[in-house]
Structure formats: structure tokens, C-alpha cells
Amino acid sequence: MTDDTAATTDTAVDTRPTKIMYVAEATAHGGRDGFVSSLDGQLALQVAMPPALGGDGNGTNPEQLFAAGYSSCFHNALVLVGRRAGFDLTGSTVAAKVGIGPNKQKGYGLAVALSVSLPILDQGIAAKLVDAAHEVCPYSNATRGNIDVTILLG
């Protein structure tokens, strides 16, 4: 699951897993106007182009799925680092916005904005926990340096 031919530099941090503990499997039929399902049957969704991209919007789309995955993964990382630091994160939430648009290479790119709410914590402590979660979260590690990720603490 890794590309051993990828060039790395001495200053790059290697965030690849040393051991695969779980593998999710899903299949798409019909691309953005079709159906996606997971091998275990837990996911079975109609996929449709959103109206903003010329579709009818009668289904979910890859950007919504990415937003759901990133927000839940980041929130789990946040709870983990909070617990390790001795903080109760009851009532905390993470919302994700995933944008798509053309890039300079005549393809498409993504941008993410995460909105984190830690209502019972001091802003300074909350900011430190968010920074720590951003280092732990697998989605953050996978996207770092590849897409713009903005984290808003409110």
C-alpha cells in the first residue's frame, strides 16, 4: 500500500504506517453518477453530481464522503490527545467543508476547512490540542502538503 519509488527528502516527516491494522474496501459503479458500496455492506450509497457542478444532487458525492471521513477522524484524534492530556472534551465537535475546483494543471483539486468547537476549554489549551490532533490524525497526515487545510477554532 506504499509507493517505494516515491522520492523523499531528509527533512520530510515519514507518516506512512509501520503496520496496517485495518483495511476498508469500497467499490464505485458509475463514477459521480452511480453507486458506492463497502465490501462489508455497511456503506451503500447513491452518488450524484452536486447541482453546483451541473448534476441533480440526488445522492451523496465524494466531497461529502471526504468531509464526513475527515471530520470524524480528526475528532477522534482530538479526543485521543485530549484524553492523553487529561481533558474532558464532552460537547466538542468537528465540522468539515471540502471544496473542489480547477487547478493550474488543468485538473481538479480540493481544499478543506475544519471548524473545531471545544466549548469547555480555554482557547490556549484548545489551540494546543487542535495542533496535536492535526499531527496525529491520519487524514491530516495524508493531506499535509497536498491540499490546503484550514483549521478554525471557535
Side-chain angles (χ1 to χ4, degrees):
M1 298 197 116
T2 62
D3 180 5
D4 293 331
T5 63
T8 59
T9 64
D10 292 339
T11 59
V13 175
D14 188 354
T15 60
R16 294 176 294 179
T18 57
K19 175 183 175 183
I20 301 296
M21 297 171 59
Y22 169 75
V23 175
E25 294 183 55
T27 303
H29 303 271
R32 285 181 171 269
D33 285 310
F35 185 80
V36 294
S37 61
S38 62
L39 183 64
D40 64 4
Q42 293 297 310
L43 179 71
L45 299 169
Q46 201 63 37
V47 181
M49 282 281 242
L53 297 178
D56 61 18
N58 290 326
T60 191
N61 58 66
E63 293 72 37
Q64 288 176 334
L65 295 171
F66 192 81
Y70 202 161
S71 63
S72 64
C73 189
F74 193 91
H75 193 247
N76 194 71
L78 186 62
V79 169
L80 174 72
V81 299
R83 188 178 325 121
R84 286 179 179 168
F87 294 102
D88 176 11
L89 299 188
T90 299
S92 63
T93 60
V94 176
K97 291 182 182 181
V98 175
I100 184 171
N103 64 21
K104 293 178 182 177
Q105 287 73 39
K106 298 186 181 180
Y108 291 86
L110 299 174
V112 174
L114 298 175
S115 296
V116 180
S117 174
L118 293 163
I120 63 173
L121 290 182
D122 164 270
Q123 285 292 99
I125 293 169
K128 288 179 182 177
L129 293 178
V130 166
D131 288 345
H134 194 44
E135 294 301 315
V136 170
C137 176
Y139 275 67
S140 292
N141 287 328
T143 60
R144 189 172 289 112
N146 299 309
I147 66 174
D148 290 336
V149 176
T150 305
I151 302 176
L152 308 166
L153 180 58

